[in-house]
Amino acid sequence: MAFFDIETLRVVWWVLLGVLLIAFALTDGYDLGVGALLPFVARGDAERRMVINAVGPHWEGHQVWFILGGGAIFAAWPFVYAVSFSGFYLAMFVVLAAMILRPVGFKYRSRKADPAWRSRWDWALFAGGLVPALVFGVAVGNVLGGVPFRFDSDLRVFYLGSFFGLFSPFALLAGLLSVAMLVLHGANWLVVKVEAGPVHRRARDFGFVAGLLSLVLFAVGGLWVAFGDLGFRLVGAADPMGPSNPLRGAVVAAPGAWLDNYRAAPLTLLAPVAGIVGVVLALVANRARREWAAFAGSSLACAGIIATVGVSMFPFILPSSADAASSLTVWNASSTAHTLAIMLGVTVVFLPLILLYTTWAMRVMRGRVTTREVALNPDFY
């Protein structure tokens, strides 16, 4: 495709990666939040089946965003894929193991009437919601702080960290923010999806607490970024048109540098502002019992908080804390222009189809889930 140069294609795929991650948080994010709330928001088998069926028709379709995100990293940013999936492989294994519990739990939980059997699967669904939400946030925290890897002169990558080294104080803060954000989103989904009653009331209460925690943790994270030891900076002029070579360009660790883009382009402040306004809207709408407004607020909060990470780091994608010169950026870690152009053509065709399918499925499955409907419908989980 000769319509775009390599610089434009790199920026387009950086934006598309952000779009895929936000779409994953907006769709599968509320599934994870509902799973993390399951043992607490519902009491008794009828209530728990109602909660499970509030996400039952949608969760499989939402996995497409997770797959697309991983595929986009693999194809558009191969150096990022190589480093992150080898360095974080134990964390990825934990996430995948937890996510496997979800389909198994959905399929098998109600196959037996034994309360102990169902209780064990309820906790499996809880782990399948909580663990990915926590680990995804911890991973983002590590990316902001820098990942301990380096390239040698032959571009062989060496990961110098350990599994437990991933859980630094800032990474745990990011993990808790991720859990609070997705629990807020999941609680707001339950409020619009289940019948009025005890579960509806508890979901509103949990959503309010999760919203307050999200606001506090996001603010603490912002102060940490501003005054802590986080940040990297390109030294000298970058060459956005140059070849993909992770050792091309000079990078230094620079505490506070994650605020550079906001100083250079104040319009980028819209990202963190959207995160804060979204949480505040969710909290106010929660108290005013404006259910869809609260869900819109938590959606805006997810989009704003994730966009804040991307805007703060641009053009970095994966900075190195072990050797800053090995840091991966939008300008030195992409696939070739030919590959990016072909992928863009495929995306232009199939992304609208996925959006249409998701919208159609949401429309077909609209309406509230009730305990009576769950008891009478043999197709429900």
Side-chain angles (χ1 to χ4, degrees):
M1 184 180 294
F3 302 116
F4 304 111
D5 57 34
I6 182 68
E7 178 183 2
T8 304
L9 288 168
R10 283 168 169 164
V11 174
V12 166
W13 271 103
W14 175 79
V15 172
L16 282 175
L17 180 59
V19 169
L20 293 175
L21 294 177
I22 289 173
F24 174 69
L26 294 184
T27 54
D28 208 37
Y30 70 70
D31 297 341
L32 298 177
V34 169
L37 280 173
L38 176 62
F40 313 107
V41 79
R43 298 168 186 168
D45 187 63
E47 289 185 357
R48 289 184 176 170
R49 287 191 68 199
M50 180 173 65
V51 169
I52 291 170
N53 282 282
V55 296
H58 308 290
W59 71 269
E60 286 178 296
H62 294 163
Q63 300 297 300
V64 70
W65 299 108
F66 182 64
I67 297 169
L68 287 175
I73 295 174
F74 172 76
W77 311 103
F79 287 108
V80 177
Y81 182 89
V83 174
S84 59
F85 277 70
S86 60
F88 295 158
Y89 75 95
L90 278 177
M92 294 290 183
F93 175 80
V94 171
V95 167
L96 291 176
M99 293 187 78
I100 288 172
L101 289 175
R102 290 202 302 163
V104 180
F106 280 126
K107 299 295 183 184
Y108 286 96
R109 180 195 180 279
S110 298
R111 293 296 179 92
K112 292 174 66 174
D114 180 5
W117 168 272
R118 294 189 173 189
S119 177
R120 284 193 286 271
W121 284 117
D122 289 340
W123 285 106
L125 290 170
F126 163 75
L130 177 69
V131 172
L134 178 65
V135 175
F136 288 145
V138 167
V140 171
N142 276 276
V143 170
L144 281 164
V147 178
F149 69 92
R150 68 175 179 84
F151 289 95
D152 67 8
S153 57
D154 295 322
L155 294 185
R156 292 178 298 182
V157 61
F158 296 88
Y159 182 75
L160 308 176
S162 65
F163 175 73
F164 292 105
L166 297 175
F167 298 93
S168 66
F170 180 78
L172 287 173
L173 173 73
L176 292 177
L177 172 58
S178 173
V179 171
M181 179 183 78
L182 297 184
V183 166
L184 167 67
H185 200 38
N188 285 339
W189 174 253
L190 282 179
V191 169
V192 300
K193 195 62 184 173
V194 302
E195 64 180 343
V199 174
H200 188 275
R201 186 175 62 253
R202 291 184 207 116
R204 276 204 311 119
D205 292 342
F206 278 113
F208 190 75
V209 173
L212 291 177
L213 286 174
S214 299
L215 206 55
V216 171
L217 291 169
F218 191 44
V220 172
L223 292 173
W224 201 318
V225 167
F227 301 107
D229 58 351
L230 305 174
F232 292 83
R233 184 176 290 143
L234 283 171
V235 180
D239 180 12
M241 303 287 286
S244 290
N245 182 338
L247 299 179
R248 181 172 64 83
V251 176
V252 296
W258 289 153
L259 300 182
D260 286 356
N261 289 333
Y262 301 111
R263 299 187 189 101
L267 199 61
T268 56
L269 285 168
L270 286 175
V273 168
I276 294 171
V277 170
V279 177
V280 172
L281 173 61
L283 288 170
V284 171
N286 178 300
R287 293 297 91 178
R289 305 196 177 194
R290 303 296 296 267
E291 299 169 352
W292 280 106
F295 186 69
S298 60
S299 300
L300 180 63
C302 291
I305 290 171
I306 294 172
T308 298
V309 176
V311 169
S312 301
M313 293 184 62
F314 185 86
F316 288 90
I317 303 178
L318 197 62
S320 170
S321 59
D323 175 25
S326 296
S327 295
L328 302 176
T329 72
V330 172
W331 313 130
N332 71 7
S334 76
S335 292
T336 64
H338 183 69
T339 300
L340 295 178
I342 291 176
M343 290 172 57
L344 182 59
V346 173
T347 302
V348 167
V349 173
F350 286 100
L351 189 59
L353 293 178
I354 295 171
L355 291 172
L356 283 173
Y357 165 78
T358 302
T359 304
W360 175 80
M362 296 291 283
R363 178 175 174 76
V364 169
M365 302 296 178
R366 66 185 182 278
R368 294 184 184 273
V369 183
T370 68
T371 53
R372 183 175 184 277
E373 187 182 16
V374 170
L376 296 178
N377 193 329
D379 294 327
F380 276 18
Y381 293 115

